[in-house]
Amino acid sequence: MSNEIKIGDYVVIQKQNYKKLHKFNKADSSISLGRDTVNLKGIDGCPYFSVFKMIPKSSKRNRDYTVELAQEAVKLKDEIDIKVSGSDNRNILDDGNSQKLSASDIETLKSDSNKASDIVGTLINNSNTFHNKTEFSQDKYLRKKEKKYFEYFQVIKPNLRVISEIMYKLDPGKIQNLRIDTLSQIITMVNIHSEGNHLLYDSGSNGLVAAALLSVIGKDTNGKLLHMHPGNMSQKQALLAMNFPEEQLNRCVSVNVYSALRQFYQGCDTNNGVDKDIQTSENDENPLKRKADETDEHQSKKMKQEEDEELVESLDKTDGDKPRGNKKPKWHFDNIAASEILQNKMDSLVIACKEDPQNIFNELVSFVKPGRPFVIYYSAVEPLQQLYLTLRPRANVAALKLTCNWMRNYQVLPERTHPEVTMNGASGYLLSGYVLK
Amino acid sequence: MSFRNYKDKIEEGDTVILYLSNNLYALDVQREIKNKKGEMIENVYQTPFGALKVKTLIGADYGTKIELTKGWGHVLQPTPELWSLTLPHRTQIIYTPDISMILLQLDLVPGCVVVEAGTGSGSLTHALIRRVRPHGHVYTFDFHEHRAKIAQEEFKDHGLADFVTAKHRDVLAEGFDKDLNGKADAVFLDLPSPWLGVPHALAAIKEEGGRFCSFSPCIEQVQRTCLALQEHGFQEITTMEVLQSEIKVSRRTVPVRDLSFLKQKSSISPVEEKPSSETSYVVGALPQSNPGHTGYLTVATLPPVYVRGKSKKDDDNISSENGEKMVVDENV
């Protein structure tokens, strides 16, 4: 991937700590950042990491912006010079009278001023108490206001870390509460690397687990990822957002789990006659799939129409090669490819599912070579506890371990270092082990 | 050589992991070893379950069951994770939960160049190598001469020498190799004074930017490192802590005590005041002793040169247009 923003790329728009994934599919596509609508015309061809300033289109009131390449993001702290500070808050009274400007004054100020520092500067000058606040308290005030009035954003390249963070923040339920630390451990626990054939069953992480594994398999390597899913179409959002080169993306074979296993055991998909049967039987599976994913689909429709449209659009593109020479759909070839990979046995197994993991594990573990690791992710502990007890007496697995993770972020500032006041508590559980002969 | 590629069968010279009822041992598969007198004798490995004649492993499949006089176990091919649990400690080491996060936070994928200081016992180094191979490279430094030498030999023995350069060097005093300037995608520091390493990290990271991570047990180290990172133009400076707990699963049968009969005067008297039945649960309990702290991970992004450090020392005379174009051209 080059260092310049190109039309067609997935890009990440970062405004302060807020990050948003965006498919930059038109030179003048728009993106909503909070209540603001920003037209991205002009970012095409700029290097990644460039800083852009948001310029109000007409008046600030309708919150429509265009962008302009900026030298740097100006910090409020650098623009506003604070001369005096208090030593503590003993003389500060919260009587509602400290701000001399009225609410309507402030509204006018907000829509008339072009610079955040003008607004905040005026607010400060009209405050009776600001200069009695401690230096730390003033700093906190400025940081808070900066968040509100920040006029700059950066365009950065998506990668696994950023995508995982965005998806978790936006709606952890859609990726089964799979937090970045747990995701990072899935990758290491099953020893995913540039080599080998890796098997993934994923029924609901929006492609995040597949993206994680494929990114670590890497470009221009031999590793393959067999990505099984229960639906007609795999969830690919995160996978596409990684902007993987064609060569790498092609080493991720996404197949419907029913079709792939039917092909493996019954091998029916080699002549044309049987081909039709498969297609109809796959259509039969639709109702089943609908039921399972119904809630999820509803959610996604509500939450991110924009992204869904993008998703559909890009899926269309990837399936554009559907009718090949002999008019067989891509999935036909994918099933055969999957079956061939399975014949050679797999070097790892990852399951991240919504269903009861037990049957899925029992079926898929038979494809894993002896001595190779597996890991099962589930958002609640009970199904994994049950599975643990079922597997423990078995001779075909060893080193069973059920783990959970705890992660805490810190505010690190001179004299003000402490853990952040909120933690992301939900992270799910991992059951890992090794397959034996 | 069992660290390099996936293998199905055990060969002489492999390191294998012996898994015996929740205990792991790393074992070199050699038919014969030297005894105290320097004579070659048959290699017999003593386990808690009895002696293992090592030569019997040769030709066996990985994942296979091995019989011992007082029990049985399994042999596994080493992974960086199994190696972290079995390696000979020459220093404190970083374990898998932190390692996993470090790899992800450093944005490492095959092909990356990563610089590490110090090497220590090579626990993280093995995981770094696995992540960046086959096209990438790990440069690792330790200021302890002997330790650096052992690590170097170990990587060679493990068949990983193509992917790693291990050197003796006091990075804080001398910086990284000059040859590494502008070569690294990521820099990892596990040093007593990581803030002193920040300028060296800045020098090592590529013009198009990269990631930084420092592992420090103490918060004072973190504070100084964060300040140094800020001064040197790093962005997105984040500090975090990751802990993993193992859940002990068991089936527990618990007595059921009925108290509802007390509401009425019972016709049948006397009712026994003890549990009336039993019920069974699958329970997961956290162990009594749990890791409470390993170290703080401080991570940061170094942006590409064309946006680097502008907020710090502003050079107004540099025209951004031309500057950017030139840098971009170099990178294409």
Side-chain angles (χ1 to χ4, degrees), chain B residues 64-86:
Chain B
T64 226
K65 188 173 170 179
I66 49 161
E67 301 285 346
L68 295 162
T69 47
K70 280 176 271 174
W72 43 267
H74 290 90
V75 272
L76 299 172
Q77 188 178 348
T79 63
E81 287 63 49
L82 290 170
W83 183 243
S84 288
L85 296 171
T86 49

Side-chain angles (χ1 to χ4, degrees), chain A residues 2-4 14 19 45-51 69-73 75 78 154 156 159-162 164-165 179-181 183-198 215-221 347-348 369-373 381-382 384-386 388-389 392 395 397-417 420 429-430 434-437, chain B residues 4-8 19 22 24 61-65 74-82 85 96-110 127 130-131 133-135 208 211 219 222-223 226-227 230 235-236 238-251 281-286 292 296 301-304 306-307 310-312 314-316 318-321 324 328-329 331-332:
Chain A
S2 82
N3 264 325
E4 279 166 43
Q14 177 170 16
K19 293 194 183 100
C46 291
Y48 276 99
F49 270 97
S50 294
V51 180
L69 188 65
Q71 279 257 26
E72 58 173 316
K75 290 203 175 118
D78 300 335
Q154 251 181 326
I156 56 175
N159 59 34
L160 185 60
R161 168 177 55 88
V162 174
S164 156
E165 191 189 312
R179 204 174 52 200
I180 190 166
D181 50 336
L183 181 66
S184 76
Q185 288 171 23
I186 289 178
I187 303 169
T188 50
M189 276 175 168
V190 289
N191 191 28
I192 307 272
H193 59 279
S194 55
E195 255 188 68
N197 296 326
H198 304 280
S215 85
V216 167
I217 287 171
K219 60 176 181 197
D220 303 321
T221 59
D347 293 299
S348 74
K369 285 185 189 172
R372 303 290 197 259
V381 73
E382 287 77 6
L384 293 182
Q385 288 180 355
Q386 198 66 52
Y388 179 97
L389 284 187
R392 198 166 53 181
V397 291
L400 285 179
K401 213 168 143 185
L402 179 57
T403 57
C404 65
N405 288 309
W406 179 97
M407 178 175 151
R408 180 140 101 169
N409 285 90
Y410 285 78
Q411 167 185 300
V412 182
L413 287 170
E415 315 281 325
R416 285 156 294 167
T417 298
E420 275 177 12
Y429 301 83
L430 295 173
Y434 289 82
V435 177
L436 298 177
K437 207 179 166 188
Chain B
R4 189 171 171 136
N5 299 103
Y6 281 121
K7 295 181 82 166
D8 295 333
Y19 179 80
N22 281 325
L24 296 163
D61 285 342
Y62 277 107
T64 226
K65 188 173 170 179
H74 290 90
V75 272
L76 299 172
Q77 188 178 348
T79 63
E81 287 63 49
L82 290 170
L85 296 171
T96 300
D98 285 313
I99 289 177
S100 310
M101 195 59 165
I102 292 166
L103 298 177
L104 205 159
Q105 288 290 339
L106 289 178
D107 296 345
L108 294 178
V109 291
R130 187 239 341 242
R131 178 62 54 91
R133 47 182 282 203
H135 316 305
E208 57 257 53
R211 289 283 284 176
I219 199 73
V222 171
Q223 290 170 326
C226 285
L227 277 180
Q230 215 166 9
Q235 293 181 354
E236 287 190 281
T238 313
T239 299
M240 70 196 82
E241 216 181 345
V242 179
L243 293 174
Q244 187 191 65
S245 317
E246 187 173 349
I247 299 169
K248 292 288 174 203
V249 187
S250 57
R251 189 175 293 281
Y281 289 101
V282 175
V283 296
L286 291 171
Y296 299 103
T301 302
L302 183 66
Y306 46 82
V307 274
K310 274 178 194 161
S311 50
K312 186 72 180 81
D314 209 341
D315 296 353
D316 283 331
I318 296 173
S319 146
S320 77
E321 272 314 38
E324 271 157 18
V328 170
D329 284 343
N331 293 339
V332 164

Side-chain angles (χ1 to χ4, degrees), chain B residues 117 170-176 187 189 191-203 212 214 216 220-229 231-232:
Chain B
D170 182 353
V171 167
L172 292 185
E174 309 164 62
F176 299 113
V187 172
L189 301 181
L191 297 168
S193 335
W195 59 93
L196 297 176
V198 170
H200 306 314
L202 179 73
F212 170 91
S214 160
S216 308
E220 290 82 1
Q221 295 170 297
V222 171
Q223 290 170 326
R224 300 178 77 163
T225 307
C226 285
L227 277 180
L229 286 169
E231 275 167 25
H232 286 88

Side-chain angles (χ1 to χ4, degrees), chain A residues 339-356:
Chain A
S339 174
E340 273 163 16
I341 298 173
L342 288 175
Q343 300 280 3
N344 292 324
K345 297 276 179 178
M346 309 305 291
D347 293 299
S348 74
L349 169 63
V350 179
I351 296 175
C353 60
K354 288 182 176 166
E355 310 92 316
D356 183 14

Side-chain angles (χ1 to χ4, degrees), chain A residues 201 203-204 230-231 235 258 285-298 354-355:
Chain A
Y201 178 84
S203 60
Q235 294 184 326
Y258 296 94
E285 282 150 19
N286 282 357
L288 275 177
K289 180 242 170 192
R290 278 283 160 335
K291 252 180 247 166
D293 286 1
E294 208 161 29
T295 45
D296 187 51
E297 275 170 21
H298 278 304
K354 288 182 176 166
E355 310 92 316

